[in-house]
Amino acid sequence: MIHDQRTEKFRQIVENKFQIYNSLFMSLPYDKMTNIGMLLPFLYEESKNGYEAGKTPEEIVEEFFKSHTDLQTEDQKLELLFKIIQYIERQVVLFDSIEDAAFPSLHAENDNGTVTHLYEKAINNHELEKVREKLEDFSVKVVFTAHPTQFYPNSVQKIIHDLRAAITSDSITQIDTLLQQLGKTPFVNKEKPTPIDEALSIITYLRFVYYETVGDLFTKIKRTFSNDNFQLHEDIIQLGFWPGGDRDGNPFVTAEVTKRVACELRSAILKSYYNHLKFVRRRLSFRGVSDILRDLSEMLYDAIFKDNALTAQQILKKIDEAEEILVKHHNGLFHEILLGFKDRVKIFGTHFATLDVRQDSRVHQQVIDAVYTKLFGSEEADYKIKYSRLIDISEKVDINDFEDIVKDTLETVCQITEIQQQNGLRGMNRYIISNSDDIKDVMNVYAFFKLCGYKDEDIKMDIVPLFETMEGLANAESVMTELYSHPVYKKHVEHRGQQQTIMLGFSDGTKDGGYLKANWEIYKTKEVLTSISEKNGIKVVFFDGRGGPPARGGGKTHDFYASQGKTIANNKIELTIQGQTITSIFGNKEQATFNFEQLLTAGVENDVFKSSKKDLTDAERSLISELSEISFTKYSDLKAHQMFVPYLQEMSTLQYYGKTNIGSRPSKRGSGDELKFEDLRAIPFVGSWSQLKQNVPGFFGFGYAMNQLKKEGRFDEIKQLYSGSDFFKTLVLNSMMSMNKTYFPLTYYIKNNSKFGEFWTILFDEYQLSRDIMLELTGFTILQQEDPLSRKSVKIREKIVLPLLSIQQYALMKIQKGEGNKEAYEKLVTRSLFGNINASRNSA
């Protein structure tokens, strides 16, 4: 009933509004091309009917030109196609804004996963005290990354913000004006953004979305669960930050960049305090109080503009002085306003978000090798001998004796103390190591600190291994077992409060092992690491590298974390978000509040409200393992197919990601011209399958594995697993989400390709098999039947971008045939990436 009501409301306030406001595009100020709004429906109909009839994108686009235009030359046709792409991009922005504006109307205050729902559930189950206890010892951390999946420049994002507000108030005049502005505003960066640009872009969200959102949510939790004993800690909701600190495969992130970004973060939070204090002072105009707050305002001003030192403790001391007078002499009038300000200072300190350092373990080894050779001659030595000897060094090395990456790596470590002094210890407190698969990968980083002159007790940084490949996940147990028993590292963990953070990467795991195998291996790895950490008296925190789509660990976040059983440590939820996921899920206060609450309540419910569906039985574990291995074999065979990489290179948009000027980071790790599978970054890998509307990483092998057991007469076992395990159910539903965003008719033409026809057929057959068997398993008649709002949103978005996909495939076919203006067609492919990614929202 609730689903039906919300579906109808979606139709009224999203679908209908889009139809109405979309008509305003007819008057958009396009030079030379004022009739695109009239032509576009014809291209859509040609595409829709053409693909159903088995036509190729080339036939569809050429038929469109022939039947609906009088264009003759290639240049004229290309100009029209570019204008259509621009038009569709702006339609996507309009739909985004309408859907985002409708969010509060489509979600209730007490929806499942909200703080209010958690409170009601606690009351009904007589578990209020247990919920309070968990809240006092639990936290959520969302880490904003620099991964390049945000195609909207800052100028466009600001228009989106204003457009959302205009749609909320149904101001036709303002909407029309903003759409005109949108028509004149470029959607493409002329140059690649620098790491500083990326950092400043996300800092804008910190200042104008998260400062208010996190502060208000903290107050809401405190009020909802308040009693005489409840003490909510300020770290319950934390923000992390990778732009400017993540140098994995990004040569443009240097020690200087990291230091600059740390300064920008500090400056941003002080500016937020300064502006907030203006409002506080307007209300607290009382004798004694106003003088103290004026002094604090001047202190903040000098810290921002004169670079004076100012700590969070100094700010809090002033607030405490004002609070004492307010309560003692002014009856505590407007006390809650001062408390709101005080809470934010406790939450954000002088750091706003914690800036992480991340680098690849292979780069670290190069640095260690170079330093070892410099200090001890050119003698060959075992990795263990190298880090062991370097850890014993008591004198700081002269970093000027080194060059390039060696010097920059050491300089980055050397400046950590300075950053911590400016931003506080919460401002920078961990070093993450990509591609960890050996104890040396962690100990090498420890050696960096010793080389930079740190004493053991002065290393106020967590060293975080990131296990992401199948090999890394398989080695995780032995690596952490050895680390926990290493006398030097054991003492380091003691200094860090007997807590160890371990990062697990879904993206490369899925690329490496396939959807089901990656998820199951990460689940089992968490269990094993939980066990050995507990045995060593260590509190383990898992940090999930979760991207937007299910193929990179994304999907139904609340369901995912709520499905973790008691065998997995639940001390904290930490995950990464990036690019358009920031915009679409955490992009405004209402959405950010809702999704922060979903994360928080998932973790709390997991401990307090026990469910047999969360804890896997031996039989369920055995069945998932069996399915996982069958799926892995099927996916491995696909990866080993001689056409796998050539197919992506020649038939997808893979090679065009690096030309989009959306991020500072190269689209692959290796520097050579030859494309190697292991060098492929997960984002362009997953994104390229998405552009093809095939989404292979989100389902391939899953349906095949289930069908193999079905052939053996064991499908009832899988049905029982689906109904009995929240974890398995979440995997199935997320995979179905990926399949709902596929559209194989777009590439039907490839099945007749002499080179790639057989390979395409393998993909298509597995899609059909997976779709059919998952529908049979769930009892659904359509994909995403359980989530009608998301399904409707996906279908509208797919309709908007179908003409754009036709243009993209048309251009790719022209390039493959070597026909026409190759440079122009390549630009057409690159430009078409933008609208499709933005419309899909969680596709890369």
Side-chain angles (χ1 to χ4, degrees), residues 139-167:
S139 60
V140 166
K141 186 170 188 176
V142 170
V143 180
F144 305 100
T145 77
H147 295 165
T149 59
Q150 176 54 267
F151 283 76
Y152 293 137
N154 282 348
S155 56
V156 174
Q157 289 189 52
K158 289 171 183 174
I159 297 173
I160 292 173
H161 180 270
D162 295 339
L163 188 57
R164 187 187 302 126
I167 290 167

Side-chain angles (χ1 to χ4, degrees), residues 1-110:
M1 182 58 125
I2 293 175
H3 272 330
D4 292 341
Q5 291 173 351
R6 290 189 182 178
T7 301
E8 175 59 19
K9 201 163 193 177
F10 185 93
R11 186 188 68 79
Q12 293 172 350
I13 64 177
V14 178
E15 286 187 81
N16 287 353
K17 276 191 177 183
F18 180 66
Q19 294 302 323
I20 294 167
Y21 296 147
N22 191 37
S23 64
L24 296 174
F25 275 100
M26 293 292 187
S27 60
L28 277 181
Y30 283 120
D31 298 332
K32 305 177 186 176
M33 292 290 173
T34 56
N35 63 337
I36 291 178
M38 298 174 66
L39 284 173
L40 191 53
F42 293 117
L43 180 54
Y44 170 75
E45 288 300 323
E46 291 286 356
S47 299
K48 180 175 177 291
N49 297 330
Y51 291 128
E52 289 174 359
K55 291 184 179 180
T56 71
E58 186 176 20
E59 290 170 337
I60 287 168
V61 174
E62 291 295 355
E63 181 63 31
F64 164 73
F65 284 136
K66 181 180 177 181
S67 302
H68 305 288
T69 78
D70 56 3
L71 303 178
Q72 299 297 320
T73 69
E74 182 181 45
D75 285 346
Q76 289 175 327
K77 293 177 179 179
L78 283 167
E79 184 179 17
L80 175 59
L81 294 180
F82 276 112
K83 295 295 183 184
I84 289 174
I85 289 174
Q86 291 176 331
Y87 193 97
I88 293 172
E89 284 174 341
R90 286 152 178 82
Q91 282 186 310
V92 171
V93 168
L94 176 62
F95 186 77
D96 281 350
S97 302
I98 291 171
E99 191 171 38
D100 291 347
F103 188 89
S105 301
L106 295 170
H107 295 84
E109 173 76 12
N110 62 344

Side-chain angles (χ1 to χ4, degrees), residues 246-290:
D246 178 12
R247 61 248 302 132
D248 176 14
N250 191 340
F252 306 109
V253 177
T254 62
E256 182 182 352
V257 166
T258 301
K259 189 174 180 180
R260 165 83 187 278
V261 171
C263 290
E264 293 289 350
L265 284 165
R266 179 176 182 273
S267 176
I269 190 58
L270 294 177
K271 288 174 183 175
S272 294
Y273 292 154
Y274 184 77
N275 288 331
H276 190 171
L277 189 56
K278 289 180 182 177
F279 168 73
V280 175
R281 291 175 66 193
R282 285 178 66 180
R283 292 292 170 266
L284 301 181
S285 53
F286 317 132
R287 190 182 303 278
V289 177
S290 61

Side-chain angles (χ1 to χ4, degrees), residues 377-633:
S378 59
E379 84 177 86
E380 292 293 324
D382 178 79
Y383 292 142
K384 189 171 184 178
I385 293 173
K386 287 182 179 178
Y387 71 67
S388 296
R389 290 189 70 179
L390 292 175
I391 282 171
D392 286 339
I393 288 176
S394 57
E395 297 295 323
K396 179 181 178 180
V397 299
D398 187 347
I399 62 175
N400 292 313
D401 289 343
F402 304 96
E403 297 179 348
D404 303 326
I405 191 67
V406 179
K407 181 179 180 180
D408 189 74
T409 300
L410 296 177
E411 195 173 344
T412 297
V413 175
C414 286
Q415 69 186 16
I416 287 172
T417 298
E418 183 183 350
I419 292 172
Q420 289 179 336
Q421 288 171 347
Q422 288 286 315
N423 291 30
L425 291 177
R426 289 188 296 163
M428 178 175 281
N429 55 39
R430 62 186 185 184
Y431 197 123
I432 300 164
I433 308 149
S434 302
N435 278 300
S436 295
D437 57 17
D438 194 282
I439 185 175
K440 69 176 172 59
D441 299 327
V442 174
M443 297 311 295
N444 281 347
V445 173
Y446 194 90
F448 293 157
F449 284 94
K450 299 307 293 290
L451 291 169
C452 291
Y454 288 79
K455 294 180 181 178
D456 292 305
E457 62 272 17
D458 293 333
I459 303 175
K460 295 179 172 59
M461 290 282 285
D462 295 331
I463 302 175
V464 181
L466 165 51
F467 302 110
E468 45 194 332
T469 62
M470 288 298 107
E471 182 183 4
L473 291 167
N475 292 344
E477 180 179 6
S478 61
V479 171
M480 295 313 300
T481 299
E482 194 172 353
L483 271 174
Y484 287 156
S485 61
H486 192 290
V488 173
Y489 194 77
K490 189 175 182 179
K491 187 165 285 188
H492 173 68
V493 175
E494 287 176 12
H495 290 149
R496 300 301 296 158
Q498 287 294 98
Q499 179 171 299
Q500 173 69 52
T501 299
I502 300 173
M503 188 172 180
L504 299 150
F506 284 82
S507 301
D508 284 292
T510 307
K511 180 170 76 78
D512 200 27
Y515 175 76
L516 182 57
K517 175 74 170 179
N519 277 280
W520 179 233
E521 289 304 310
I522 288 170
Y523 188 96
K524 290 193 299 179
T525 301
K526 283 184 175 181
E527 289 185 314
V528 169
L529 297 180
T530 296
S531 177
I532 63 172
S533 297
E534 288 176 351
K535 286 176 184 176
N536 284 274
I538 293 167
K539 183 178 180 179
V540 66
V541 171
F542 293 117
F543 175 19
D544 291 317
R546 290 171 63 83
R552 293 186 55 237
K556 298 175 183 296
T557 307
H558 177 273
D559 294 346
F560 170 80
Y561 283 109
S563 71
Q564 310 279 295
K566 64 175 180 287
T567 53
I568 293 176
N570 185 35
N571 299 310
K572 186 176 186 177
I573 287 178
E574 284 203 39
L575 73 160
T576 58
I577 62 168
Q578 86 292 317
Q580 85 273 37
T581 311
I582 297 175
T583 307
S584 62
I585 298 180
F586 292 87
N588 59 57
K589 185 181 178 183
E590 292 79 16
Q591 289 172 309
T593 300
F594 181 83
N595 286 293
F596 276 126
E597 289 188 26
Q598 292 284 310
L599 289 170
L600 183 68
T601 60
V604 173
E605 288 179 9
N606 216 356
D607 265 15
V608 177
F609 306 109
K610 301 299 181 185
S611 166
S612 60
K613 290 188 177 185
K614 294 176 185 176
D615 299 318
L616 295 169
T617 65
D618 289 343
E620 288 172 336
R621 299 177 70 84
S622 176
L623 186 56
I624 295 175
S625 289
E626 190 175 355
L627 289 168
S628 169
E629 289 308 314
I630 297 170
S631 171
F632 181 52
T633 300

